[in-house]
Amino acid sequence: MPIVVVLSLTTFLAWYISGNAGSFPNSWVPNGHTLFLFSLTFGISVVVVACPCALGLATPTAIMVGTGVGATNGVLIKGGDALEKACHVSCLVFDKTGTLTVGLPAVVHTFHLHPSISERECAILAGMVESASEHPLAKAIVKYASEVLSQANGETPAAFASPENVDIQPGFGVICTLKSASFLEYAKKHKVASSIRPNHDLHVCVGNRKLMQQEGISLPESADLWMKKEEENGRTAVLFSVDRIVTSIFAISDPLKPEAREVIDYLKGMGIDCAMASGDNWRTAHAIGRQVGISNIHAGVTPGEKVDVIKQMQRENQSVGMIGDGVNDSPALVASDVGIALGSGTDIAVEAADYVLMRDNLEDVVMAIDLSRATMRRIKYNYMWAMVYNIICIPLAGGALFPSTHLQMPPWVAGGAMALSSVSVVCSSLLLHAYKRPVFRVELTGIKVNSSYLGVSDVNLEGSLM
Ligand code: ADP
Ligand code: MG
């Protein structure tokens, strides 16, 4: 704006002084006008035509339309800052559980170690404790416990009442001091025999190796071997202990999101490095990493260490985006340049993020970055257009062509031209509505058609669809 005022004053003074000095004939000044009014008209036209409306509209209109397009495609964008940063992202760090995997884990195998407490008792206790946690693994254990009970009794069990003294440790698991009376009451109601003493405080832990180490609970070798085998197959083994003795292990499988592999490939094609930061153990994280094509893996990291991973990358001059869903991801979502949360994630993660993927589909990560780039391109284009417009119109309004054409741009025409430029910038921003999200190739492989009618035995169809 100050530049515009200076330009306008300069125009006015240039015409006025040169008129007084007799640099142009008096006949140039229209009849009934003084030299002052004649010069002032040029000055006013310059202010009006250069009023930086078009420049001022270039960014907000594009951001408004960009965020609107994001919302219709299931991506909530929290402001222009986020959009700008997302288009410069050079590395994306993925959380594993609930982000690369569907987040609907299920207990697929169990390993029972202690004869003095039955499998059913373990399942009930674990279900009771985990009902206090929002973690996807906790939900899998609660579901498993309900299934064990309904299989035993043939009836749907009552919901587990969440115990009081629960210590939820993100990235580790859950510790609880449980009154045996409340457990016995539940067990009796569901006709599960129990040898647990009444009036006794049970110390129950459900979590990973780190939780057990922290609590000083030792892990028998047979349990360790069993866990390793499960982990190498991409499953998460959750340890369960009662009164500091490991009594059960639950192997939990969480299938990969079907689009995960392709999304990672696509992101790499866009020049973005992909990494994984998971609180899960090394073997499970690497098994999942192999399946999706991520080799830069930080496994067994606590929520604080996820932040360190992000900060280290930022020190290496990377612009880092973090994608996660859990409470454990929230500090990293805040620390990263662009935090992307899954809509189904915990409220804290959604609150901490700059982008929210409402449909939980990883393809929307690609779309979010692609849309940010498209919006930034549109802003640059708007600026260029507004600049070109000003470069042409300011000299015209200032009377650059007056000596040869004797035509003066009156302020109302300048006003019209200014409005037209604003409208053209708004229209240019609205063109973002034509944005098309990136298309993924869907592979159909291994479909078997038994075409005995055709006199041919099993036929394998392999194809691809754009
Ligand atoms: P991720 O980073 O993959 O989302 P988390 O940081 O949430 O994983 O959890 C890391 C690990 O901590 C889990 O793999 C599990 O072993 C353990 N854990 C965390 N919360 C729980 C829970 N509620 N019950 C059992 N184990 C848990
Ligand atoms: Mg997670």
Side-chain angles (χ1 to χ4, degrees):
M1 199 60 188
I3 298 172
V4 174
V5 174
V6 170
L7 271 176
S8 145
L9 272 177
T10 316
T11 310
F12 164 69
L13 289 174
W15 280 103
Y16 192 65
I17 292 169
S18 54
N20 270 332
S23 308
F24 58 84
N26 270 346
S27 60
W28 283 16
V29 180
N31 281 342
H33 277 212
T34 59
L35 174 65
F36 180 82
L37 191 60
F38 174 67
S39 313
L40 192 64
T41 312
F42 283 118
I44 291 173
S45 293
V46 167
V47 179
V48 174
V49 88
C51 169
C53 276
L55 283 173
L57 286 171
T59 306
T61 52
I63 286 177
M64 240 171 60
V65 180
T67 46
V69 171
T72 43
N73 280 282
V75 177
L76 285 189
I77 306 168
K78 298 191 195 163
D81 243 22
L83 261 175
E84 193 184 343
K85 285 185 187 154
C87 79
H88 295 123
V89 156
S90 60
C91 180
L92 276 175
V93 181
F94 287 82
D95 161 56
K96 178 179 77 66
T97 320
T99 301
L100 287 171
T101 62
V102 289
L104 288 174
V107 175
V108 285
H109 299 137
T110 55
F111 186 59
H112 190 63
L113 287 109
H114 219 264
S116 65
I117 174 164
S118 72
E119 266 191 274
R120 269 185 214 157
E121 285 173 291
C122 289
I124 296 179
L125 278 169
M128 281 179 136
V129 174
E130 288 285 37
S131 64
S133 166
E134 270 192 76
H135 200 279
L137 295 178
K139 290 186 184 145
I141 291 177
V142 171
K143 188 158 174 270
Y144 164 76
S146 310
E147 279 164 10
V148 167
L149 282 178
S150 65
Q151 269 167 20
N153 303 320
E155 57 192 50
T156 317
F160 295 106
S162 190
E164 277 163 20
N165 294 320
V166 183
D167 176 13
I168 298 174
Q169 303 203 357
F172 289 81
V174 186
I175 304 173
C176 176
T177 313
L178 190 76
K179 296 247 172 290
S180 62
S182 60
F183 162 74
L184 289 169
E185 192 190 321
Y186 191 90
K188 196 171 153 203
K189 200 163 133 198
H190 293 87
K191 301 181 202 83
V192 173
S194 175
S195 51
I196 286 176
R197 281 183 286 133
N199 305 322
H200 164 65
D201 279 344
L202 295 163
H203 177 267
V204 183
C205 299
V206 201
N208 51 19
R209 285 188 180 85
K210 281 195 281 184
L211 182 78
M212 297 299 156
Q213 260 163 24
Q214 178 192 294
E215 291 298 297
I217 300 166
S218 59
L219 186 64
E221 209 186 314
S222 60
D224 191 45
L225 282 175
W226 188 85
M227 282 175 86
K228 281 182 179 153
K229 199 177 89 240
E230 293 294 332
E231 288 164 355
E232 265 150 23
N233 287 309
R235 293 187 272 269
T236 305
V238 174
L239 291 154
F240 172 75
S241 75
V242 182
D243 288 343
R244 304 192 178 277
I245 295 168
V246 175
T247 56
S248 271
I249 312 173
F250 306 102
I252 299 180
S253 167
D254 189 5
L256 266 188
K257 287 192 176 155
E259 72 279 11
R261 169 100 215 184
E262 251 184 297
V263 167
I264 303 290
D265 286 347
Y266 200 99
L267 287 168
K268 286 181 185 165
M270 287 169 84
I272 296 172
D273 292 336
C274 295
M276 187 203 292
S278 172
D280 211 341
N281 71 89
W282 192 91
R283 266 177 294 272
T284 313
H286 276 78
I288 298 291
R290 269 195 304 280
Q291 290 173 38
V292 292
I294 295 181
S295 53
N296 183 3
I297 294 171
H298 303 266
V301 284
T302 59
E305 285 164 353
K306 285 192 182 186
V307 174
D308 296 340
V309 168
I310 304 271
K311 291 210 166 134
Q312 180 56 35
M313 288 176 171
Q314 284 169 335
R315 276 195 288 276
E316 290 160 10
N317 281 334
Q318 300 247 47
S319 176
V320 190
M322 167 81 204
I323 305 165
D325 67 324
V327 179
N328 59 326
D329 303 315
S330 307
L333 287 171
V334 174
S336 63
D337 296 290
V338 187
I340 304 176
L342 301 186
S344 67
T346 49
D347 294 348
I348 301 175
V350 169
E351 188 60 37
D354 303 301
Y355 278 69
V356 184
L357 311 183
M358 300 311 293
R359 301 182 313 170
D360 289 343
N361 190 326
L362 287 179
E363 286 175 11
D364 289 347
V365 175
V366 176
M367 199 223 99
I369 292 172
D370 191 55
L371 177 65
S372 313
R373 290 182 178 178
T375 309
M376 285 301 138
R377 271 198 304 275
R378 183 56 48 182
I379 290 175
K380 278 187 197 147
Y381 177 78
N382 285 353
Y383 267 116
M384 259 164 52
W385 166 239
M387 290 299 283
V388 167
Y389 165 85
N390 278 347
I391 287 168
I392 294 172
C393 284
I394 291 176
L396 282 183
L401 293 183
F402 190 85
S404 53
T405 61
H406 291 271
L407 287 174
Q408 192 177 15
M409 187 189 282
W412 66 268
V413 174
M418 183 269 286
L420 203 68
S421 79
S422 304
V423 170
S424 62
V425 165
V426 171
C427 288
S428 153
S429 292
L430 286 173
L431 282 181
L432 265 178
H433 274 300
Y435 171 80
K436 293 261 178 305
R437 49 184 297 139
V439 181
F440 284 80
R441 208 162 57 90
V442 180
E443 283 199 349
L444 301 173
T445 48
I447 295 179
K448 286 194 170 182
V449 178
N450 192 329
S451 51
S452 48
Y453 305 110
L454 304 172
V456 193
S457 58
D458 284 0
V459 175
N460 268 311
L461 278 190
E462 294 205 359
S464 65
L465 198 81
M466 284 299 285

